[in-house]
Amino acid sequence: MRHRVDAVLRAFVDGKYAAARRTGLPEDVPRALAGFLAAGGKRIRPRLCVLGWQAAGGEGERGLAQAVQVGAALELFHAFCLVHDDVMDDSDTRRGRPTVHRALAARFREGRSRELADAVGTSTAILAGDLALLWSDELLHDPDHGLRAAESARLRPLVSLMREEVMYGQCLDLLSTGRPTADATPALAVIRYKTAKYTCERPLQIGAALAGAAEPLMRQLSAFALPLGEAFQLRDDLLGAFGDPQETGKSALDDLRGGKHTVLVSIALAAATSAQGRRLRALYGDPRLDAAGAETVRALLRETCADQAVERLITDRFQQAVTALDVLAVPAAVRRQLRSLADKVVWRSS
């Protein structure tokens, strides 16, 4: 399934690249997006989309091709989110490679100062993200790419809701950045909207809607997907603090320098002594944090047992998802695939 999704993405973006060359428009944007998409990624959203379609009784090669097409559109929307997210976070690496704005800055450096090249690279990356958003809509709704008008209309409300939710989630994330507190409630809201709904719930429901799922199945899918998505993001927070950059493909310093209000840090602040709390607040979110300072932050997270508490939260939410999956009215083969995917996204090291 991953190969089929990748083939759709490659053909679509290659077509955009060829069109840009043919018309004399800048080729840098489609080239950058093609490189970004080829660099990897878990393809969780397309996989859940196809599994949602199968869960709702979808069958036949034409229907499967449509589910793959919709999944590819979701992955292109995900590219939009990540490109913009990396700009907002001023990140250097993603998937083991320079982020799109860093790669474009390097490309534009000849004949420009570093400051100007960085500015042009960042601005062009924003435009690349914008085009990924537009192209995801084209891939999703253009009848030339597989969906009939009635099928497209069924998906549109859910897709619009997913987009709105993830943008509000990103806004919540930005507004709480640099102001971590012992109250984990805001961090849990970010997890719900920025990750759980966007990564798991909506892709699964969008696939099911393509197959004409009724409301009871949609609710059952949510009962599985939301706790799974929360466990996924809690694992991501742990990897952001403690993960190996060789496996995660991201810097070991970005999350600690960024000062995001995560559940991990909230738990640490709630459990910290006065001295530990002062030290953690002084270091966490410092844009100049070095490797030694990062090790101190990690030591404080361990001393307050915040890492263990988050592991327990992950286990609890994973169990909620598995319990919901056990009673999900779907074919046995789909249930096995959903369980396998759940295991992979929660108990991962990257």
Side-chain angles (χ1 to χ4, degrees):
M1 198 57 57
R2 181 193 179 99
H3 292 314
R4 291 186 65 156
V5 169
D6 286 349
V8 170
L9 289 169
R10 188 165 52 250
F12 183 83
V13 178
D14 284 352
K16 292 297 184 182
Y17 178 77
R21 291 196 69 180
R22 188 171 58 250
T23 55
L25 294 173
E27 303 166 15
D28 303 280
V29 168
R31 182 191 288 117
L33 287 174
F36 182 80
L37 290 166
K42 301 175 184 65
R43 303 294 192 259
I44 295 170
R45 293 155 193 84
R47 292 170 67 185
L48 283 171
C49 178
V50 173
L51 285 169
W53 173 79
Q54 293 174 326
E59 57 185 15
E61 179 54 35
R62 179 184 178 277
L64 178 58
Q66 287 180 321
V68 168
Q69 194 86 25
V70 173
L74 295 179
E75 190 66 22
L76 200 47
F77 176 74
H78 184 48
F80 148 74
C81 290
L82 292 183
V83 170
H84 280 200
D85 193 51
D86 287 340
V87 169
M88 293 179 203
D89 291 346
D90 197 28
S91 298
D92 293 327
T93 56
R94 167 79 67 175
R95 297 172 177 171
R97 298 187 182 185
T99 49
V100 171
H101 64 286
R102 293 284 186 255
L104 287 169
R107 181 173 179 80
F108 298 146
R109 196 149 292 155
E110 184 176 350
R112 295 184 174 96
S113 67
R114 178 173 187 135
E115 292 76 13
L116 182 56
D118 287 346
V120 173
T122 296
S123 298
T124 308
I126 292 170
L127 293 172
D130 291 343
L131 278 174
L133 172 60
L134 293 174
W135 291 346
S136 74
D137 207 55
E138 180 181 336
L139 193 54
L140 184 64
H141 295 300
D142 189 336
D144 291 341
H145 291 108
L147 260 64
R148 298 189 181 107
E151 293 160 341
S152 179
R154 280 206 304 271
L155 303 188
R156 195 178 297 275
L158 273 173
V159 172
S160 296
L161 184 58
M162 176 195 71
R163 291 172 174 173
E164 182 177 296
E165 286 168 343
V166 73
M167 290 184 192
Y168 274 124
Q170 178 73 344
C171 188
L172 287 170
D173 195 16
L174 290 171
L175 292 174
S176 63
T177 295
R179 298 190 298 180
T181 71
D183 180 9
T185 304
L188 288 169
V190 171
I191 286 176
R192 173 61 60 99
Y193 286 98
K194 188 178 176 182
T195 303
K197 286 182 169 292
Y198 159 62
T199 300
C200 296
E201 182 191 33
R202 299 308 183 199
L204 199 55
Q205 289 183 329
I206 287 166
L210 181 63
E215 187 57 34
L217 178 59
M218 293 294 219
R219 289 196 296 269
Q220 287 184 312
L221 293 174
S222 290
F224 162 73
L226 284 175
L228 177 63
E230 290 177 355
F232 172 87
Q233 183 56 53
L234 289 166
R235 173 64 64 204
D236 216 46
D237 290 344
L238 281 178
L239 290 172
F242 299 104
D244 181 350
Q246 295 299 316
E247 295 188 18
T248 64
K250 295 169 61 178
S251 165
L253 294 173
D254 279 0
D255 282 14
L256 302 181
R257 286 173 173 170
K260 296 294 181 72
H261 185 188
T262 64
V263 173
L264 176 66
V265 172
S266 289
I267 291 173
L269 289 171
T273 64
S274 297
Q276 288 173 327
R278 285 193 301 271
R279 188 67 175 144
L280 184 56
R281 289 180 188 279
L283 292 172
Y284 186 70
D286 180 353
R288 296 174 299 279
L289 186 74
D290 58 15
E295 279 305 313
T296 301
V297 171
R298 295 184 190 106
L300 289 166
L301 294 174
R302 292 190 181 99
E303 288 169 13
T304 56
C305 299
D307 55 336
Q308 297 175 37
V310 171
E311 284 287 0
R312 289 192 294 271
L313 289 175
I314 291 170
T315 300
D316 176 67
R317 279 158 174 75
F318 177 77
Q319 192 55 55
Q320 289 178 40
V322 169
T323 299
L325 180 59
D326 287 342
V327 297
L328 195 57
V330 298
V334 175
R335 182 179 290 106
R336 286 195 298 271
Q337 288 294 320
L338 287 171
R339 176 57 192 264
S340 175
L341 181 59
D343 285 332
K344 288 175 182 175
V345 302
V346 173
W347 312 115
R348 60 196 166 97
S349 60
S350 64

